Amino acid sequence: MKTILVIHGPNLNLLGKREQEVYGSVTMDGINNALHAEAKQLGIELKIVQSNHEGEIVTLIGDAQNTSVDGILINPAAYTHTSVAIHDAVKGCSIPTVEVHLSNIYSREEFRHKSFTAPAVIGQVCGFGLQSYILGLRGLVEIVK
Ligand code: DQA
């Protein structure tokens, strides 16, 4: 059975309370429950982690190769727009990775229009709320299966 590592970046633990006009009322637990339900349909396993720390996310990606992870689904959150280290970790890890965002980062403030992660991933899904994760997972599983 294939295993997908899901990484939620900084502040995504606050979904449901945080900027509801942008992110809606969905919580991280709500996203995780929907991902688990989808994973069951797809016949895959999920490992889900959330971190507010850039270095921890870099280590998770770097270690993924030694822990039989077949694909990575990541919402790097604010680190999307700043992190060369996460870009390098994804680029260097040789595990297919998909980037997702709840909001459409290209229709928001200009500083969100640049993704450092995007050039290192297979593809990016943004703007569909919770469905960005589901669509990203489906696309990723098509590739790793
Ligand atoms: C986000 C978009 C980022 O710009 C922001 O910093 C986040 C969430 C999203 O899922 O829409 O924290 O990644």
Side-chain angles (χ1 to χ4, degrees):
M1 197 182 263
K2 300 289 182 186
T3 299
I4 303 295
L5 173 64
V6 179
I7 303 176
H8 298 287
N11 297 311
L12 295 174
N13 53 315
L14 302 177
L15 286 173
K17 292 180 235 158
R18 167 188 186 213
E19 295 184 88
Q20 287 204 21
E21 65 291 355
V22 178
Y23 301 115
S25 56
V26 69
T27 61
M28 196 178 72
D29 283 348
I31 293 172
N32 292 345
N33 289 340
L35 283 171
H36 279 302
E38 186 66 23
K40 208 170 167 188
Q41 298 285 327
L42 294 168
I44 54 146
E45 270 186 26
L46 295 182
K47 288 184 193 170
I48 305 184
V49 287
Q50 189 276 329
S51 176
N52 291 325
H53 304 281
E54 184 177 18
E56 200 174 330
I57 294 170
V58 168
T59 301
L60 278 167
I61 296 167
D63 287 351
Q65 294 185 109
N66 313 322
T67 55
S68 59
V69 166
D70 301 292
I72 300 174
L73 185 73
I74 183 167
N75 183 347
Y79 290 138
T80 307
H81 319 297
T82 62
S83 182
V84 176
I86 293 177
H87 166 278
D88 287 356
V90 172
K91 190 114 189 166
C93 84
S94 76
I95 298 174
T97 300
V98 168
E99 173 183 341
V100 297
H101 301 282
L102 294 153
S103 64
N104 178 351
I105 57 174
Y106 303 101
S107 67
R108 299 182 62 194
E109 303 96 319
E110 204 169 337
F111 67 84
R112 295 185 204 275
H113 297 182
K114 164 101 182 146
S115 167
F116 279 82
T117 337
V121 298
I122 291 170
Q124 185 197 60
V125 185
C126 74
F128 295 95
L130 160 67
Q131 287 301 319
S132 293
Y133 281 84
I134 303 297
L135 295 168
L137 181 65
R138 285 188 195 149
L140 180 57
V141 169
E142 280 297 318
I143 282 168
V144 302
K145 265 200 162 167

